[in-house]
Amino acid sequence: MRILITGAGGAAAISVWKSLKDEHDLYMADIDRSACGLYLVPNQQRFLIPRGDSPEFVDTLLSLCKQHKIDILLPTVDSELAPLAKSSDAFLEQSIKVPISPYDALKRCYDKHALLTHCCTEEKRPTAIPAFILLNKETINSITQFPRFAKPRIGAGSNGIKVIHKQEDLAGLPTDNSYLIQEFLPGDEYSVDVYIDSHGQAIAAVPRLRIKVDSGVAVTARTCQFPELAKTAVNIAKIVGIRYVANIQFKASKEGQFKLLEINPRFSGALPLTTAAGVDIPKLLLKDVKGEALPKGLMPFNDLMVVRYWTEHFFSPTEWEALCQR
């Protein structure tokens, strides 16, 4: 199959490439001509594209997919997901499959306040949802218990996060509803790689303890047999409306209760550990898209640990220069 992967400079795209490179014809795209993943595929299969929030993004990607007869488009960048979901019919008309969650689910995940609020609209609020409030001029004086955790309601990685130890610490934050104040969660942090098939059935939920994190990506981690957390992750994914791939992050309170941090409705950067543990999510997705039989119930996996290191890929400068001319 011809598969185009976006976000070629990110760990998620490289993780998908590692899984699929031996069996499929892979194409890579990114906004940056220096993105490492571009140089893992032949010259004619690497593309520069606009940012996901650009008005030209969808049309450019659709044109590339049509020109190169792409069968499946796999976006790995958060800002690309909602625009592609909103335009999914245009791709389907050209027999190009874009297996991502529905638009409404993606919008919920993008806005952390919308995500937590949606989870709380269920008949019974899940215990895994932390206490939260939007910061504005009306709510700032009601926040009296500390420590608390502040983060932008829209954002990625660790940008803008802050531990609030006292009332005065709130003074430096914007009071325009752009910040979320949550209960402080000092315990262990887990990510759960989840796969919900196209019919809404849970196929995989693999918890990973994030032992060491660099720039938002786990560089030391281990898979853990944690059935309760796996079940919680699946339940939340279904409440939100996730389909196909998601990475759901949790952190423990001081009482040891794991609570939701965020949902990344895409492939995760630490996906190779989940694959090595026995659950190859990119290959599961391709089976799903092709209508092949998938396992019944949650797949078993092995306990495994990973440490990560830099590696080098050498190539002629003429390859980089060729991209500069496009």
Side-chain angles (χ1 to χ4, degrees):
M1 300 185 76
R2 293 189 175 192
I3 302 170
L4 174 57
I5 306 168
T6 70
I14 301 301
S15 298
V16 178
W17 173 83
K18 288 178 179 178
S19 176
L20 302 180
K21 63 184 177 68
D22 294 330
E23 299 177 15
H24 299 277
D25 197 9
L26 300 187
Y27 296 67
M28 301 288 267
D30 200 276
I31 64 172
D32 181 6
R33 60 179 55 90
S34 297
C36 56
L38 294 174
Y39 302 95
L40 298 176
V41 297
N43 178 56
Q44 67 275 16
Q45 294 173 208
R46 55 182 76 146
F47 311 120
L48 295 178
I49 58 175
R51 291 170 53 94
D53 56 5
S54 165
E56 293 81 29
F57 170 71
V58 170
D59 288 343
T60 299
L61 213 47
L62 180 58
S63 177
L64 284 172
C65 288
K66 290 165 59 178
Q67 179 183 349
H68 296 275
K69 296 180 171 59
I70 298 299
D71 299 302
I72 300 177
L73 172 62
L74 298 180
T76 70
V77 180
D78 291 330
S79 64
E80 299 174 349
L81 301 177
L84 287 173
K86 203 170 184 179
S87 305
S88 59
D89 288 347
F91 287 85
L92 284 176
E93 287 173 3
Q94 302 297 324
S95 299
I96 303 161
K97 297 178 180 177
V98 188
I100 55 178
S101 289
Y103 177 76
D104 287 347
L106 294 172
K107 292 296 287 184
R108 291 180 194 119
C109 295
Y110 186 65
D111 182 337
K112 297 176 180 65
H113 182 260
L115 172 65
L116 298 177
T117 301
H118 180 80
C119 290
C120 291
T121 59
E122 294 297 299
E123 292 182 7
K124 181 178 179 181
R125 172 178 171 150
T127 58
I129 303 304
F132 66 97
I133 190 171
L134 278 179
L135 184 63
N136 56 47
K137 293 178 181 179
E138 287 71 38
T139 62
I140 190 168
N141 291 326
S142 68
I143 303 169
T144 57
Q145 294 183 336
F146 303 97
R148 283 289 182 266
F149 193 72
K151 61 182 179 183
R153 64 186 290 182
I154 297 174
S158 301
N159 296 324
I161 65 172
K162 183 178 181 180
V163 178
I164 305 299
H165 295 283
K166 55 186 184 299
Q167 184 76 32
E168 289 76 9
D169 293 340
L170 294 169
L173 297 177
T175 54
D176 57 359
N177 289 321
S178 64
Y179 256 76
L180 196 63
I181 308 299
Q182 289 184 191
E183 67 177 285
F184 183 63
L185 303 171
D188 288 336
E189 184 175 347
Y190 276 78
S191 282
V192 184
D193 282 329
V194 170
Y195 191 82
I196 307 292
D197 74 12
S198 54
H199 303 291
Q201 299 301 309
I203 306 299
V206 181
R208 293 186 275 103
L209 175 62
R210 289 160 61 90
I211 298 172
K212 183 178 180 181
V213 178
D214 185 2
S215 302
V217 177
V219 295
T220 304
R222 62 172 295 182
T223 54
C224 301
Q225 303 297 328
F226 200 158
E228 180 182 354
L229 189 60
K231 181 179 179 181
T232 297
V234 166
N235 287 342
I236 288 176
K238 289 185 175 182
I239 288 171
V240 174
I242 293 295
R243 288 293 185 272
Y244 303 108
V245 181
N247 174 256
I248 306 181
Q249 296 185 357
F250 298 88
K251 211 168 188 300
S253 67
K254 62 181 180 180
E255 295 82 16
Q257 172 68 51
F258 280 91
K259 302 197 176 187
L260 177 66
L261 289 181
E262 61 183 39
I263 299 178
N264 301 305
R266 54 167 173 75
F267 296 101
S268 67
L271 194 63
L273 174 58
T274 296
T275 300
V279 179
D280 193 325
I281 289 181
K283 289 182 180 177
L284 277 176
L285 183 146
L286 293 193
K287 284 187 175 183
D288 193 359
V289 167
K290 291 188 288 185
E292 298 179 6
L294 296 176
K296 301 297 183 182
L298 295 182
M299 293 178 64
F301 60 91
N302 300 316
D303 291 332
L304 199 63
M305 190 164 175
V306 67
V307 291
R308 311 178 91 173
Y309 59 93
W310 290 103
T311 189
E312 292 76 31
H313 177 71
F314 301 100
F315 56 91
S316 169
T318 58
E319 296 185 39
W320 181 80
E321 292 166 358
L323 272 179
C324 292
Q325 302 304 314
R326 295 184 184 177

